[in-house]
């Protein structure tokens, strides 16, 4: 456990972690302060950051499991102590850490008798298990135990649909939220109209992120949500037939695609991470399953504009980035 004395500065806004501890592999705790704030600001920030911590951070879960020759979820398997339903509940409790986008496959294949734990999962290299000791099943006889798994990165809580069963494949309720709980409290000090406030934040996570990492991620996501309002005066919208009509730039990405293909660049091996795009644009592209340069160039300007919160200026900025990386740099290579 780490504890620090709280020192309040009345000159500049400061934040500090005043306590941090690891209660278990899947339970981290952090306590933070932000001060000095004017009266009312602590509540504004506390409510917003709590909602962002609980609802805006992505996590990775097992969302589907496939068993061979199992008639229904409540079946029992000879040689296995748990029912299929109990195994699914145990898989639900496994905490994963990853930079996965979308879905991927994993599996378990072991032979009994033995105890099956999270350590027996065979995962892609970019997925890690937070607690290898998490229990899955007890094999009491020398049988083969094989399960195919689907992993997904998302946010919030997704409840399985009762009719979503396919060929022995069973959906699992997914709790994607890395943050388990958040509390905020306010301490006021000073006299009369000069009262100031200190915001206290308590954050519990499941171990896939530390409380400090979760606070950073939630703050960044919260800022991204407000960025469109910063450009409100720059947008020139004309309302007609209940739709916004904007003038699109004269370039097309398909022309750029043809030019780059002539230069024999392998577009599948150039990821948008390498383009040095602003975080807001980068995040929106990732959420739309645009991961490589080929994915990006196969989208038209109209496709990008239709993306939620995407603006004409963003499309122009992407073009300028492509111009910088794939015209200037390529000419130098010649």
């Amino acid at each position: 456990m780490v504890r620090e004395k709280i020192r309040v500065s009345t000159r500049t806004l400061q934040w500090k972690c005043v306590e941090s501890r690891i209660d278990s592999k899947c339970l981290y705790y952090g306590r933070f302060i932000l001060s000095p704030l004017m009266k009312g600001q602590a509540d504004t920030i506390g409510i917003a950051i709590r909602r962002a911590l609980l609802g805006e951070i992505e996590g990775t879960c097992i969302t589907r499991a496939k068993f061979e020759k199992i008639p229904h979820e409540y079946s029992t398997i000879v040689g296995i102590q748990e029912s299929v339903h109990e195994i699914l509940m145990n898989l639900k409790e496994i905490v994963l850490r990853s930079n996965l986008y979308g879905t991927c496959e994993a599996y378990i294949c072991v032979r009994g008798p033995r105890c099956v734990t999270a350590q027996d999962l065979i995962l892609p290299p970019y997925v890690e298990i937070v607690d290898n000791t998490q229990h899955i099943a007890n094999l009491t006889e020398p049988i083969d135990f094989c399960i195919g798994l689907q992993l997904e990165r998302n946010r919030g809580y997704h409840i399985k649909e009762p009719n979503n069963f396919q060929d022995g494949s069973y959906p699992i309720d997914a709790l994607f939220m890395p943050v388990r709980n958040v509390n905020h409290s306010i301490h006021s000090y000073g006299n009369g109209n000069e009262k100031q406030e200190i915001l206290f934040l308590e954050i519990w996570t499941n171990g896939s992120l530390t409380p400090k990492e979760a606070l950073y991620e939630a703050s960044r996501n919260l800022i991204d949500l407000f960025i469109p309002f910063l450009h409100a005066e720059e947008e020139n919208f004309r309302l007609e037939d209940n739709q916004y009509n904007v003038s699109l730039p004269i370039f097309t990405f398909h022309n750029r695609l043809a030019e780059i293909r002539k230069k024999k660049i392998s577009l599948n091996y150039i990821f948008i991470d390498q383009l040095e795009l602003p975080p807001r644009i980068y995040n929106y592209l990732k959420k739309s399953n645009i991961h490589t340069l080929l994915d990006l160039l196969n989208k038209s300007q109209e496709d990008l504009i239709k993306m939620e919160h995407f603006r004409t200026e963003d499309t122009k900025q992407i073009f300028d980035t492509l111009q910088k990386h794939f015209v200037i740099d390529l000419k130098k290579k010649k």
Side-chain angles (χ1 to χ4, degrees):
M1 182 184 295
V2 179
R3 290 181 180 270
E4 297 181 14
K5 292 183 179 179
I6 301 173
R7 296 179 181 177
V8 178
S9 169
T10 58
R11 294 182 180 179
T12 57
L13 195 64
Q14 296 180 345
W15 77 277
K16 183 181 292 187
C17 177
V18 294
E19 183 180 352
S20 66
R21 66 172 185 261
I22 301 175
D23 294 330
S24 68
K25 289 183 179 180
C26 294
L27 185 60
Y28 285 43
Y29 171 81
R31 188 165 180 253
F32 306 87
I33 62 167
L34 179 66
S35 67
L37 295 164
M38 296 174 63
K39 186 177 180 181
Q41 288 182 337
D43 206 30
T44 300
I45 297 172
I47 292 172
I49 200 68
R50 182 179 186 275
R51 292 182 67 88
L53 281 164
L54 293 174
E56 296 297 328
I57 302 180
E58 294 184 343
T60 304
C61 289
I62 299 172
T63 56
R64 185 172 286 275
K66 184 173 183 178
F67 298 82
E68 295 294 334
K69 300 178 181 179
I70 301 298
H72 56 80
E73 181 180 351
Y74 297 97
S75 301
T76 57
I77 305 173
V78 176
I80 300 179
Q81 184 174 320
E82 291 83 1
S83 68
V84 173
H85 177 73
E86 290 172 323
I87 293 172
L88 293 176
M89 292 301 99
N90 291 336
L91 290 171
K92 176 183 175 180
E93 297 299 320
I94 294 176
V95 179
L96 302 172
R97 180 193 296 116
S98 80
N99 56 0
L100 169 70
Y101 290 95
T103 63
C104 71
E105 303 297 324
Y107 60 95
I108 301 171
C109 194
V110 296
R111 183 169 180 80
R114 57 171 295 178
C115 179
V116 183
T117 65
Q119 188 174 3
D120 296 307
L121 267 71
I122 300 175
L123 301 167
Y126 44 83
V127 181
E128 301 175 18
I129 301 170
V130 172
D131 183 4
N132 285 329
T133 65
Q134 286 180 285
H135 179 75
I136 297 175
N138 277 315
L139 308 185
T140 58
E141 297 183 15
I143 61 171
D144 291 325
F145 179 71
C146 296
I147 309 177
L149 303 171
Q150 176 182 280
L151 312 183
E152 183 179 345
R153 184 176 175 85
N154 213 317
R155 64 181 63 183
Y157 182 67
H158 292 193
I159 301 176
K160 65 183 180 182
E161 298 178 8
N163 297 323
N164 195 11
F165 299 90
Q166 308 164 358
D167 303 325
S169 178
Y170 299 92
I172 300 174
D173 291 343
L175 182 64
F176 293 107
M177 301 153 55
V179 177
R180 290 295 185 240
N181 193 21
V182 182
N183 286 336
H184 82 275
S185 57
I186 301 166
H187 172 71
S188 299
Y189 62 97
N191 297 316
N193 294 329
E194 296 182 0
K195 275 193 174 181
Q196 292 182 314
E197 298 177 337
I198 303 174
L199 173 65
F200 291 83
L201 278 173
E202 293 182 290
I203 303 172
W204 290 262
T205 70
N206 65 0
S208 62
L209 289 177
T210 66
K212 185 177 179 180
E213 290 170 334
L215 185 58
Y216 170 81
E217 188 74 17
S219 301
R220 189 180 66 177
N221 291 343
L222 196 59
I223 290 170
D224 285 344
L225 290 174
F226 285 102
I227 282 178
F229 295 109
L230 297 178
H231 302 278
E233 294 183 359
E234 301 173 9
E235 302 287 358
N236 296 318
F237 290 117
R238 180 168 59 89
L239 189 62
E240 184 177 308
D241 298 329
N242 295 325
Q243 292 183 346
Y244 288 115
N245 294 328
V246 297
S247 58
L248 295 173
I250 60 174
F251 70 89
T252 64
F253 281 113
H254 291 288
N255 292 342
R256 180 59 58 197
L257 175 61
E259 291 177 16
I260 295 179
R261 275 178 172 160
K262 287 179 183 177
K263 299 183 182 291
K264 299 181 180 180
I265 300 175
S266 182
L267 306 179
N268 268 328
Y269 294 98
I270 301 175
F271 294 88
I272 63 171
D273 313 57
Q274 302 168 249
L275 301 182
E276 300 176 0
L277 294 167
R280 193 181 69 85
I281 297 177
Y282 170 81
N283 289 334
Y284 289 149
L285 292 177
K286 282 289 189 182
K287 289 174 184 176
S288 299
N289 291 320
I290 298 174
H291 307 298
T292 67
L293 185 59
L294 181 62
D295 297 335
L296 177 61
L297 295 176
N298 277 329
K299 296 287 184 181
S300 68
Q301 53 197 1
E302 290 83 4
D303 293 333
L304 294 177
I305 293 295
K306 289 177 182 177
M307 289 166 51
E308 188 177 6
H309 303 308
F310 220 78
R311 308 188 309 265
T312 304
E313 287 77 6
D314 298 332
T315 314
K316 180 64 167 64
Q317 191 162 3
I318 291 174
F319 173 72
D320 291 339
T321 301
L322 292 177
Q323 187 79 12
K324 171 186 173 183
H325 285 279
F326 300 106
V327 176
I328 297 175
D329 290 348
L330 288 173
K331 285 184 178 178
K332 287 181 180 178
K333 288 181 183 179
K334 288 183 179 179

